[in-house]
Amino acid sequence: MNDMTDGEKGLGENPREIVLRPMAPIVPATNIAGNSLMFVISIMSFLACLTLGAVIMVQDTANSWQSQISREITIQIKPESGMDVDAELAKARDIALSFSGTTGATIVDTAATARLLEPWLGEGLDMEELPVPRLVIITIDETSPPDFAGMRAALDDSVKNAFLDDHRTWVDRLVAMANTTVIIGLCVLALVFIATVLTVIFATRGALSGNHHIVEVLHFVGAEASFVASKFQKHFFMIALKGALAGGLGATIAFAVAGLWANARIATPESDQAMALFGGFSMSAGGYIGALSIVVITAVLTALTTRITVIRTIMEIDLIRSDPTRSI
Amino acid sequence: MIDFDNVGLRYGMGPEVLRDLTFEVPRRSFQFLTGPSGAGKTTLLRLMFMSLQPTRGFVRVFGQDITTIPQQELPKLRRRIGIVFQDFRLLDHLTTYENVALPLRVRGKEETSYRTDVMELLKWVGLGDRMNVLPPILSGGEKQRAAIARALIDQPEILLADEPTGNVDAPLARRLLRLFLELNKLGTAVIIATHDLSLMDQIDARRMILSGGRLEIYE
Ligand SMILES: Nc1ncnc2c1ncn2[C@@H]1O[C@H](COP(=O)(O)OP(=O)(O)OP(=O)(O)O)[C@@H](O)[C@H]1O
Ligand SMILES: [Mg+2]
């Protein structure tokens, strides 16, 4: 509109003409209230984006736990005196493979079993002397897992001392824990988000309160409420967008730095543990979309608050009409 | 243009500042509104500007009862009224030129369409070389002239001026009075609140005198 800069102004027809500066915007460009609003908004969007990132990270990790653990199941066979363990193992493997949904089955041979037990029982173990249970490791197709109950029944029928462990209890417990973590994270996110909303609303109103006389003069020289509101709205939207972008960018950079730091120590056992627990410090596409929507929501919310506040201010100015105790 | 019918006004629980006012401001008329300080001149102008409602009686502006005008229609009616506030109310972040152009700007007009008009009016009120100055730097008289120019710029149907010559010397006051008369010839009804007797003596115009809350009119 006509409050935009107009470069050709003042180069007028008459050379003696005074050179006018480009029309200043109706809403004063910068002031302390505007700057502190920007600062508050950037802090709040930084916190909200950071919380969102953390929640997404925990959720991703929980999902990966769930899928990794259930990718394998095992059949245990306890040896008994007079039992041909190897034959039973082979039978168990064949039964498992006969089910659709299993992608492979390997018998853990005596050497491998000994190696597994080495840390506890020492080297040079004679497997024949110990009734150590033997394992068949079955890899399954996660997308269409085999019928565990059917497999269990078939094993009971034809293999002695077989026990099918589909890690259900373990997985269930982990999933429950992960879900709790995610729910807590979502609650924290909701709280941070509500705090952001309230802060943005009150900070915007604070920044606007210094502009009461401008709203009033504009109104008295004949500006419509919507005109005044749109000027202020545009101005504060830009302030909020800058602040929120800075905050969102800050959070993204914080995640990137944490990721670099984690990668630099990737070889150490501590970082392996951290990785296993928290997953990588990388934000997924969902994280970026979430951060972007926090930025947009914050800016839109500020603009909306501005609009409502300005229109309400004008309504109050006109309300004074019917309440003469209040001065202009 | 403006009709008052038995109007009374009190601020809160205070005494009635205005009492039983019945008069009319005819189209294209020119009048002074005078009276001692605190008599209620500013209050009366606020009633005419629809920024105050009477506690009793009726005020009609452009034929409409001001208590029943919906809020959305106020800006449109106010655009037909030019007002000079006693305390000027210029915006400090806008230059003199921008302040005077403000009424046109809020009506959505292009700057190129009014630039020369604004500059000419500013020259007429003696602010030709103060166009790029911000109000805090202007002298009291300069601010007053800027406020007058802002009220005149869109050739209103009614001009309400509250002490428009209170801060200027006699020659400049005469010059401003000429400006108001010229505007009046172009069809604007003018109401000038003042207690400057020498100003009123210069022309033979209707005088509305407020005292003790009542109004006497000398045609
Ligand atoms: N907002 C208000 N609330 C309460 N009383 C008010 C208010 N505004 C004005 N008054 C009172 O109303 C009376 C008339 O005030 P007003 O400003 O209309 O006088 P005035 O004639 O314009 O005076 P001056 O010549 O000094 O400008 C005064 O006694 C003033 O104290
Ligand atoms: Mg007054």
Side-chain angles (χ1 to χ4, degrees):
Chain A
M1 288 205 76
N2 46 10
D3 60 330
M4 306 259 279
T5 51
D6 180 357
E8 46 179 42
K9 197 172 309 117
L11 307 174
E13 318 66 57
N14 188 343
R16 290 185 301 122
E17 208 81 320
I18 295 155
V19 177
L20 294 168
R21 73 171 191 187
M23 273 285 210
I26 283 178
V27 180
T30 42
N31 56 23
I32 296 163
N35 287 341
S36 47
L37 175 67
M38 198 186 312
F39 195 57
V40 164
I41 285 179
S42 67
I43 290 175
M44 290 316 286
S45 73
F46 176 77
L47 291 178
C49 289
L50 218 55
T51 316
L52 179 78
V55 170
I56 288 177
M57 204 167 79
V58 169
Q59 192 167 28
D60 285 353
T61 312
N63 287 343
S64 73
W65 281 347
Q66 187 168 354
S67 59
Q68 266 168 18
I69 288 161
S70 54
R71 213 171 281 156
E72 282 181 358
I73 59 173
T74 46
I75 299 171
Q76 261 183 54
I77 294 173
K78 278 199 211 107
E80 252 177 36
S81 51
M83 179 175 122
D84 183 356
V85 183
D86 288 320
E88 298 293 322
L89 281 169
K91 238 196 284 173
R93 181 191 60 192
D94 294 342
I95 289 172
L97 282 174
S98 72
F99 279 83
S100 69
T102 55
T103 54
T106 31
I107 296 168
V108 182
D109 61 21
T110 40
T113 310
R115 238 180 292 121
L116 275 175
L117 295 174
E118 216 175 72
W120 289 276
L121 303 178
E123 261 178 81
L125 189 70
D126 186 359
M127 288 296 288
E128 306 300 322
E129 287 173 13
L130 276 172
V132 176
R134 302 282 304 275
L135 299 175
V136 181
I137 293 174
I138 298 157
T139 52
I140 60 169
D141 182 358
E142 299 156 59
T143 49
S144 59
D147 168 18
F148 293 123
M151 198 186 287
R152 200 167 275 134
L155 286 170
D156 282 348
D157 283 349
S158 41
V159 186
K160 263 198 190 159
N161 292 345
F163 170 69
L164 177 75
D165 184 1
D166 61 4
H167 307 284
R168 201 65 257 161
T169 6
W170 177 228
V171 169
D172 284 349
R173 219 189 283 160
L174 264 182
V175 167
M177 190 177 101
N179 284 345
T180 317
T181 317
V182 170
I183 286 169
I184 292 171
L186 286 176
C187 289
V188 172
L189 186 65
L191 287 177
V192 169
F193 200 71
I194 291 169
T196 306
V197 168
L198 291 178
T199 311
V200 165
I201 289 175
F202 286 110
T204 306
R205 282 171 35 177
L208 269 170
S209 65
N211 291 311
H212 186 269
H213 68 288
I214 297 175
V215 173
E216 190 175 78
V217 168
L218 289 173
H219 187 52
F220 281 163
V221 299
E224 312 236 4
S226 57
F227 174 89
V228 183
S230 78
K231 293 288 167 191
F232 276 90
Q233 196 181 334
K234 229 184 274 173
H235 180 71
F236 280 91
F237 178 77
M238 288 318 290
I239 287 181
L241 194 65
K242 280 184 210 158
L245 271 177
L249 219 62
T252 316
I253 288 170
F255 261 87
V257 168
L260 282 180
W261 177 80
N263 281 344
R265 312 177 159 234
I266 200 99
T268 67
E270 291 97 317
S271 101
D272 278 352
Q273 277 169 21
M275 282 292 245
L277 261 181
F278 303 118
F281 273 101
S282 59
M283 268 231 248
S284 58
Y288 287 109
I289 291 169
L292 203 66
S293 27
I294 286 177
V295 169
V296 171
I297 289 171
T298 310
V300 168
L301 190 74
T302 308
L304 208 68
T305 311
T306 306
R307 182 174 197 88
I308 292 168
T309 311
V310 169
I311 288 184
R312 194 182 293 161
T313 305
I314 291 173
M315 280 169 71
E316 271 166 16
I317 290 169
D318 282 333
L319 216 73
I320 293 172
R321 293 190 304 143
S322 48
D323 181 7
T325 39
R326 302 168 66 175
S327 55
I328 301 187
Chain B
M1 284 248 121
I2 300 179
D3 272 305
F4 274 56
D5 190 2
N6 253 312
V7 170
L9 185 126
R10 65 170 84 235
Y11 286 108
M13 293 287 110
E16 270 203 320
V17 175
L18 301 175
R19 237 175 282 161
D20 303 326
L21 265 50
T22 303
F23 67 94
E24 188 195 351
V25 176
R27 200 170 282 276
R28 293 167 170 270
S29 61
F30 190 104
Q31 49 256 297
F32 291 109
L33 172 63
T34 187
S37 182
K41 300 183 290 296
T42 302
T43 305
L44 186 53
L45 291 182
R46 282 181 66 190
L47 281 167
M48 296 181 183
F49 191 60
M50 300 169 282
S51 77
L52 210 56
Q53 291 185 354
T55 29
R56 59 191 176 84
F58 297 99
V59 177
R60 267 182 289 273
V61 178
F62 301 121
Q64 273 181 274
D65 182 348
I66 67 164
T67 49
T68 61
I69 298 171
Q71 212 157 32
Q72 317 81 266
E73 279 177 31
L74 284 172
K76 283 199 186 63
L77 292 177
R78 288 207 180 113
R79 284 179 188 189
R80 299 163 67 182
I81 306 176
I83 186 161
V84 183
F85 295 102
Q86 203 167 2
D87 53 357
F88 319 132
R89 302 204 192 181
L90 301 169
L91 295 182
D92 285 350
H93 66 287
L94 299 179
T95 61
T96 310
Y97 169 83
E98 289 159 357
N99 264 293
V100 172
L102 195 62
L104 301 170
R105 199 169 164 187
V106 303
R107 286 154 176 69
K109 293 193 179 154
E110 278 304 316
E111 205 219 334
T112 43
S113 70
Y114 57 71
R115 192 188 305 153
T116 41
D117 291 347
V118 174
M119 287 169 100
E120 246 162 51
L121 181 60
L122 278 169
K123 277 181 204 145
W124 219 97
V125 297
L127 291 175
D129 54 352
R130 310 300 279 157
M131 288 188 200
N132 280 317
V133 177
L134 297 176
I137 295 168
L138 294 176
S139 76
E142 287 170 336
K143 277 185 214 165
Q144 187 148 52
R145 282 176 276 157
I148 291 171
R150 186 180 65 187
L152 300 186
I153 189 64
D154 199 31
Q155 286 206 13
E157 289 169 54
I158 301 173
L159 177 75
L160 307 173
D162 202 351
E163 300 285 1
T165 58
N167 290 277
V168 296
D169 55 27
L172 193 56
R174 267 198 301 279
R175 196 180 157 87
L176 291 175
L177 185 60
R178 269 219 331 272
L179 183 63
F180 293 138
L181 284 169
E182 218 152 284
L183 188 74
N184 178 237
K185 273 196 209 105
L186 289 171
T188 302
V190 177
I191 300 151
I192 298 173
T194 181
H195 35 220
D196 183 352
L197 284 172
S198 64
L199 186 78
M200 289 185 281
D201 286 341
Q202 283 172 35
I203 54 165
D204 186 27
R206 192 179 184 219
R207 290 188 193 183
M208 302 162 67
I209 302 172
L210 265 178
S211 67
R214 295 183 187 274
L215 187 71
E216 279 176 78
I217 296 178
Y218 299 91
E219 301 288 340

